[in-house]
Amino acid sequence: MFTTIISFIRVAFYMLSKNKVRRLALKYDKAGDIANRDKVVFGIVPKWARFVFEKVTRSTVEVTGLEKIPQDRAVVFIGNHQGNMDIPLLFGYINKPMTFVAKAELGKIPLLSDWMKLLQCTFIERKSPRKSIQAIHDAAEGVKKGYSQVIFPEGTRSKGGPHHEFKAGSFKLAFMSGAPIVPVTIDGTWRIYEGQKKVKKGQHVKLIIHDPIETAGLSKEEQSKIHERVEKIVCEPLNEQAGSSNA
């Protein structure tokens, strides 16, 4: 428990040390200077994410397939969801401006909410179907503006257990934006925290990036099956037992 508290304190102090940068980004945002805002934000967030892995958890990361990511347009990264470290992993080790759809509650946390808004995160109220649909529309518009999105179609963390079924509705954002899907496999993040409910340092994490899948021009039938196709691509490297997917 002591190790976990110290780890969270280090992250908090790191974020506080960047208050000057945060205020600068907010100033650019208020002035409508999007280019400079994004330059500041997407310059600091990957560094924060790497700090978490390299300095706080002392974990190593093995990445394969970076060359497969399209560089000339935004994409929708779709992967499995093992733990709370999945977002820092993607932000820290994929060199591409990205954002994600987050629970509305996160948008109310001081300091963190500012950074999430500057990242162009979309906040979703799951209890309101109307607002949830609008959030997906907003996120799709963000992709069209050049901000790649991260989607975890399981809907919840597997925490080291078998992965959960990929929900077909999670793929609507990709269809609406017309952006290619880039499947990603995350293997090992759950060991950092979820495995023992406290930070366990010195873990090894794998991030596998697969070939992109074009969504533009897909037929209705192809769209209806894409979640099964992506789930197979993403989860096959995890070496789970056959039939282990949770419903």
Side-chain angles (χ1 to χ4, degrees):
M1 178 61 72
F2 180 74
T3 301
T4 300
I5 292 173
I6 292 298
S7 297
F8 282 122
I9 289 175
R10 291 192 68 183
V11 172
F13 269 105
Y14 183 90
M15 293 179 70
L16 287 170
S17 73
K18 304 303 177 185
N19 260 345
K20 185 176 180 180
V21 179
R22 177 179 62 89
R23 289 194 294 268
L24 178 62
L26 287 170
K27 179 180 178 180
Y28 284 138
D29 186 61
K30 186 176 181 179
D33 190 345
I34 305 305
N36 275 316
R37 178 200 69 191
D38 288 351
K39 184 178 180 180
V40 171
V41 173
F42 293 109
I44 197 64
V45 171
K47 291 179 181 178
W48 163 79
R50 288 251 184 174
F51 172 82
V52 170
F53 270 91
E54 296 173 359
K55 305 298 183 181
V56 178
T57 73
R58 305 289 182 182
S59 297
T60 57
V61 178
E62 177 185 346
V63 185
T64 57
L66 282 172
E67 72 282 354
K68 297 178 180 180
I69 302 174
Q71 296 301 311
D72 58 342
R73 51 185 168 156
V75 304
V76 178
F77 293 103
I78 295 185
N80 60 308
H81 193 15
Q82 291 192 340
N84 288 324
M85 295 300 292
D86 293 344
I87 286 292
L89 174 71
L90 297 175
F91 273 86
Y93 293 88
I94 293 179
N95 185 25
K96 196 172 183 67
M98 66 179 77
T99 184
F100 59 100
V101 177
K103 295 185 294 184
E105 292 79 3
L106 293 177
K108 301 174 183 177
I109 301 176
L111 191 62
L112 177 62
S113 62
D114 279 349
W115 282 110
M116 293 182 71
K117 290 171 184 175
L118 288 167
L119 273 170
Q120 305 308 295
C121 289
T122 302
F123 297 98
I124 187 169
E125 295 185 23
R126 296 178 179 178
K127 294 182 180 180
S128 171
R130 180 181 62 81
K131 291 182 179 179
S132 295
I133 292 172
Q134 184 58 51
I136 297 301
H137 278 274
D138 292 343
E141 287 302 311
V143 176
K144 293 177 182 178
K145 293 177 182 177
Y147 302 102
S148 294
Q149 283 278 349
V150 175
I151 298 291
F152 298 124
E154 292 174 85
T156 187
R157 294 165 291 159
S158 60
K159 301 180 181 181
H163 77 274
H164 300 274
E165 180 182 10
F166 280 26
K167 296 177 174 61
S170 301
F171 289 74
K172 289 181 180 179
L173 191 157
F175 302 145
M176 291 170 62
S177 67
I181 292 170
V182 176
V184 294
T185 301
I186 296 170
D187 189 6
T189 51
W190 66 274
R191 295 188 186 94
I192 297 174
Y193 181 76
E194 281 78 10
Q196 57 286 320
K197 301 302 181 184
K198 61 180 181 180
V199 174
K200 186 175 182 181
K201 297 184 178 182
Q203 301 305 304
H204 183 67
V205 176
K206 294 181 180 179
L207 174 60
I208 305 171
I209 298 155
H210 303 275
D211 292 323
I213 300 171
E214 295 292 343
T215 61
L218 288 180
S219 66
K220 290 292 185 180
E221 182 179 0
E222 288 171 325
Q223 288 186 12
S224 68
K225 295 179 180 179
I226 196 73
H227 67 289
E228 296 174 349
R229 178 183 172 187
V230 173
E231 181 177 356
K232 182 178 180 180
I233 292 170
V234 168
C235 297
E236 201 164 48
L238 297 175
N239 295 319
E240 296 176 329
Q241 294 181 356
S244 64
S245 177
N246 296 323

